Amino acid sequence: MQVKDSVFVITGGGRGLGRAMAENLAKQGAKLALIDLDQDTLNEAAASCAELGGEGRGYVCNITDESAVENTFAQIKADFGKINGLVNNAGLMRDGMLIKVKDGQLVAKMGLDQFQSVVNVNMTGSFLCGREAASIMAVQGEGGVIVNISSVSRAGNMGQTNYSATKAAVATMVTSWAGELARHGIRVGGIAPGVIATEMTAQMKPEAIERMVSAVPVRRLGEVEEMAHTLQYIIENEFFTGRIIEMDGGLRI
Ligand SMILES: NC(=O)c1ccc[n+]([C@@H]2O[C@H](COP(=O)([O-])OP(=O)(O)OC[C@H]3O[C@@H](n4cnc5c(N)ncnc54)[C@H](O)[C@@H]3O)[C@@H](O)[C@H]2O)c1
């Protein structure tokens, strides 16, 4: 698929990786529909896409709300006339141990809300947005592409029962959807990043970064531009579907 003049929906597009991936596509003349929770960050991200040579519009939508997602995708289709791709990028992390025991006594358990809130955004939100994007693209009849953002944590990671489960879930959706949607010319891929340098990692203590980096064979964090490059590869390569690209510098957890 060519990037120029195509319309891409990016969830969590207001900041971080979502915004960086949007800006890279905007530089090449893409039209971006950015979904996120906060109007101000969306306005900034959309303006940046426009400055870079693309088109950008922000849509406030909580992706865990079924009718809000349905209405937002219908609105995007009405505003741009078409949808060519979706990046299921919005995500939430609420880390914690399954149980905590001190001196032989149970002192804490991961709460159902802590588990369910991450499931709602990362898994259910990706399902809802994937379903709406696929519904529109299949009827449009011009094919399309969906990319789910998973994580190296999908293999299972201590302290991330909730997050890891959802990142494994969105990876399986890549395989399921690639099989189901191929008949409509819709390709589905995934990216499983390791640790990428964002505003979040910039706030971490240098020792904490050093500890993380020591486990990465290339001995550095990934760059947002490298994520953007990987997304572009999936969009442009018409033989790519049903697979996940591991973007982790060789990290294994
Ligand atoms: N940064 C990394 O190192 C890294 C590594 C592996 C995977 N990932 C994944 O990449 C994606 C982006 O990560 P990031 O670092 O940019 O995170 P981030 O927290 O900076 O951005 C996530 C965005 O999603 C939005 N969002 C959260 N809940 C939402 C909801 N209910 N509805 C709509 N929008 C919602 C947030 O407002 C935010 O703008 C996530 O799925 C994350 O799990 C990131």
Side-chain angles (χ1 to χ4, degrees):
M1 177 185 294
Q2 80 165 32
V3 169
K4 189 171 163 36
D5 295 328
S6 290
V7 178
F8 298 100
V9 183
I10 303 190
T11 67
R15 69 170 197 212
L17 297 182
R19 177 166 169 176
M21 292 189 284
E23 287 173 343
N24 177 54
L25 297 175
K27 273 182 207 159
Q28 297 161 73
K31 300 178 182 181
L32 282 310
L34 308 175
I35 291 178
D36 213 309
L37 296 171
D38 177 65
Q39 187 71 63
D40 290 342
T41 43
L42 278 169
N43 289 347
E44 272 179 39
S48 169
C49 287
E51 267 168 38
L52 289 165
E55 204 180 307
R57 281 178 190 240
Y59 298 83
V60 173
C61 168
N62 184 334
I63 60 163
T64 67
D65 178 339
E66 182 175 25
S67 56
V69 172
E70 287 172 342
N71 292 338
T72 300
F73 275 80
Q75 189 61 51
I76 292 169
K77 165 83 174 162
D79 289 346
F80 288 93
K82 59 176 187 166
I83 294 177
N84 302 108
L86 163 71
V87 185
N88 261 326
N89 164 80
L92 187 66
M93 215 183 236
R94 286 185 66 190
D95 292 357
M97 301 296 278
L98 183 65
I99 56 164
K100 276 188 193 159
V101 176
K102 203 174 171 196
D103 302 328
Q105 299 294 317
L106 184 70
V107 292
K109 298 193 279 192
M110 178 179 277
L112 180 58
D113 174 62
Q114 187 177 358
F115 181 81
Q116 202 72 57
S117 57
V118 175
V119 167
N120 288 346
V121 176
N122 298 8
M123 188 174 89
T124 309
S126 296
F127 155 71
L128 289 173
C129 293
R131 187 190 68 183
E132 291 314 299
S135 306
I136 290 169
M137 294 191 297
V139 172
Q140 222 170 238
E142 294 171 23
V145 63
I146 298 175
V147 180
N148 287 353
I149 306 300
S150 178
S151 164
V152 68
S153 293
R154 82 189 196 277
N157 196 20
M158 280 173 58
Q160 293 194 314
T161 296
N162 46 7
Y163 185 77
S164 292
T166 63
K167 291 301 180 178
V170 300
T172 67
M173 288 178 196
V174 168
T175 321
S176 305
W177 295 350
E180 289 185 27
L181 301 176
R183 75 198 66 172
H184 304 293
I186 300 170
R187 294 181 296 107
V188 188
I191 307 175
V195 189
I196 311 295
T198 56
E199 291 97 327
M200 191 192 74
T201 50
Q203 287 159 17
M204 289 171 72
K205 290 186 179 149
E207 311 88 80
I209 301 267
E210 186 52 46
R211 219 175 309 124
M212 277 187 332
V213 163
S214 67
V216 182
V218 300
R219 292 285 184 271
R220 67 172 177 83
L221 303 181
E223 300 292 339
V224 290
E225 293 77 15
E226 289 166 327
M227 271 296 286
H229 184 203
T230 307
L231 173 67
Q232 192 179 334
Y233 167 81
I234 296 176
I235 291 170
E236 290 180 341
N237 191 325
E238 297 285 349
F239 198 54
F240 188 92
T241 197
R243 296 288 178 266
I244 316 273
I245 297 182
E246 324 242 6
M247 251 286 299
D248 54 20
L251 172 68
R252 274 290 159 271
I253 55 176

